[in-house]
Amino acid sequence: MATIERLIVIVLFEHVDLLDVSGPAEVFALLQREMDEPTGYRVVLVAETLAPVTTSAGVRVLPDATFADLARRGIDTLVVPGAVEVDAQRGVRAVVAPAVVAWVKVLAANTRRIASVCVGAHVLAAAGLLDGHRATTHWSTARQLADEHPEVKVDADPIFIRDRNVWTGAGLTACLDLALALVADDFGERLALRVARQLVMFLKRPSGQSQFSASLEPASKTRRMDALRHYIMRRIAEPITIAELAAQAHVSDRQLTRIFKTELNTTPAAYIESVRVEMARNRLETTDEPLDHIAAACGFNTTDTLNRAFRRKLDTTPAEYRGRFRTVC
């Protein structure tokens, strides 16, 4: 039986992030090692001209074809990476070239499946390809994406999102998870996991895996919020009420809710749950403690409550999370 060709087109432009380009290409190439038959994947790097493209790492990459060459070709998967600029204060902004946006629009018209890597979501959004879609990008530019494209349903938490035929991924190493998910979509989870092992990845991460952890959130803007966060950490195994936190901060319940919204863009209850989930994740990854012990130590009280929180935050169960991410034998 003839092999179906799956033309995978990866977009190139000046200062593109190198890993956004090489990561997915490596995943697609490694799949062939795990299969007896040809995968049908043919990866083509495409740019405005055939001149070398200088990536963000300074490495020059040669395109295989021009945008014009593929304008009328049927494409299986269009992969759009991104580029950023960093200011003197280390602030990060996604950079979008209008000419690239115009060509992405043209190529997308004949494409079965579209995927952005990291801040490549900004290119898709500028092309109108994310309108009405739920999408993610690197956490550092998620607010920029939401502000510039209110028609896009930006969710900065997951490492990748699939919404119909449009896939968006966080960065930078999440490009591997996104590419593995595309492989799983075509050939099944078993082969995707075998490719993950070839990459010496611990395990392929599910889409619900978060980019964030409560411990890595930005520092609080006020000492009062810092004090509240430390108080929550100390008392995490115990019930914590809004009234209790308000008393600690010497404000009313309503004022406390406003403070959390202003400084952390969340509610007190949601923040407490995030901290508890983060602590539970750490125990699941690094210990063999039973789930009921972890639930009690992290303030969930029961395994049912722990399960519901994991479903809400990570779209998985504690048991499944441990199976994927446990780092001890």
Side-chain angles (χ1 to χ4, degrees), residues 119-135:
V119 299
H122 293 258
V123 178
L124 295 190
L129 299 172
L130 295 185
D131 290 1
H133 286 271
R134 181 168 165 258

Side-chain angles (χ1 to χ4, degrees), residues 284-326:
L284 289 166
E285 291 169 9
T286 60
T287 77
D288 291 316
E289 288 181 273
L291 292 185
D292 57 341
H293 288 193
I294 292 175
C298 298
F300 287 112
N301 208 21
T302 68
T303 54
D304 283 345
T305 308
L306 175 66
N307 268 286
R308 287 195 297 272
F310 264 63
R311 283 289 187 194
R312 277 193 298 273
K313 294 287 185 181
L314 304 177
D315 194 28
T316 188
T317 66
E320 183 183 33
Y321 185 92
R322 172 173 269 168
R324 290 177 182 264
F325 300 108
R326 193 165 67 98

Side-chain angles (χ1 to χ4, degrees), residues 2-328:
T3 301
I4 299 173
E5 181 178 85
R6 302 173 188 267
L7 181 60
I8 298 175
V9 174
I10 302 178
V11 174
L12 292 180
F13 46 87
E14 286 298 305
H15 307 304
V16 67
D17 283 329
L18 178 60
L19 187 58
D20 291 1
V21 175
S22 61
E26 189 69 16
V27 169
F28 300 135
L30 285 173
L31 175 65
Q32 186 60 74
R33 295 189 194 177
E34 300 299 327
M35 294 185 65
D36 298 325
E37 302 295 330
T39 64
Y41 284 153
R42 183 162 76 90
V43 177
V44 174
L45 306 183
V46 62
E48 280 200 270
T49 73
L50 294 178
V53 171
T54 303
T55 67
S56 60
V59 176
R60 295 195 301 169
V61 179
L62 284 175
D64 300 304
T66 66
F67 292 130
D69 292 337
L70 297 183
R72 298 181 182 278
R73 286 288 306 273
I75 297 170
D76 181 83
T77 306
L78 179 64
V79 179
V80 182
V84 299
E85 58 184 10
V86 183
D87 61 27
Q89 288 73 45
R90 298 183 184 175
V92 177
R93 284 191 63 81
V95 178
V96 176
V100 174
V101 172
W103 277 114
V104 165
K105 271 186 180 181
V106 172
L107 298 179
N110 298 313
T111 297
R112 177 181 75 90
R113 179 173 62 185
I114 302 165
S116 67
V117 182
C118 197
V119 299
H122 293 258
V123 178
L124 295 190
L129 299 172
L130 295 185
D131 290 1
H133 286 271
R134 181 168 165 258
T136 194
T137 186
H138 191 274
W139 60 266
S140 64
T141 68
R143 185 173 294 277
Q144 177 192 351
L145 182 61
D147 289 345
E148 293 179 354
H149 302 282
E151 64 279 7
V152 180
K153 303 169 186 174
V154 179
D155 185 346
D157 193 48
I159 58 170
F160 67 86
I161 290 174
R162 177 185 187 177
D163 190 342
R164 289 163 282 175
N165 71 322
V166 179
W167 303 61
T168 52
L172 290 168
T173 56
C175 69
L176 301 176
D177 298 283
L178 175 63
L180 286 166
L182 297 175
V183 167
D185 191 48
D186 291 338
F187 296 100
E189 287 285 342
R190 183 179 62 85
L191 279 168
L193 286 170
R194 284 164 59 179
V195 175
R197 285 195 290 269
Q198 288 282 358
L199 289 161
V200 201
M201 292 173 66
F202 176 65
L203 272 179
K204 184 175 74 67
R205 296 181 290 178
S207 63
Q209 177 73 4
S210 176
Q211 294 189 55
F212 305 107
S213 72
S215 60
L216 294 178
E217 288 178 349
S220 306
K221 298 175 183 176
T222 64
R223 291 183 182 179
R224 176 169 55 188
M225 180 54 74
D226 271 337
L228 283 172
R229 291 171 71 174
H230 284 108
Y231 180 82
I232 290 168
M233 291 296 292
R234 291 195 305 271
R235 299 284 309 281
I236 200 65
E238 305 168 27
I240 304 172
T241 66
I242 303 300
E244 179 184 347
L245 291 179
Q248 282 292 315
H250 305 290
V251 297
S252 68
D253 293 7
R254 184 174 295 179
Q255 284 175 298
L256 181 81
T257 300
R258 281 200 296 266
I259 290 168
F260 268 82
K261 184 65 176 176
T262 300
E263 296 205 22
L264 299 180
N265 196 32
T266 188
T267 65
Y271 178 76
I272 292 168
E273 183 175 76
S274 293
V275 174
R276 286 178 168 150
V277 167
E278 180 66 17
M279 292 186 70
R281 284 171 58 183
N282 181 262
R283 286 172 179 259
L284 289 166
E285 291 169 9
T286 60
T287 77
D288 291 316
E289 288 181 273
L291 292 185
D292 57 341
H293 288 193
I294 292 175
C298 298
F300 287 112
N301 208 21
T302 68
T303 54
D304 283 345
T305 308
L306 175 66
N307 268 286
R308 287 195 297 272
F310 264 63
R311 283 289 187 194
R312 277 193 298 273
K313 294 287 185 181
L314 304 177
D315 194 28
T316 188
T317 66
E320 183 183 33
Y321 185 92
R322 172 173 269 168
R324 290 177 182 264
F325 300 108
R326 193 165 67 98
T327 58
V328 294

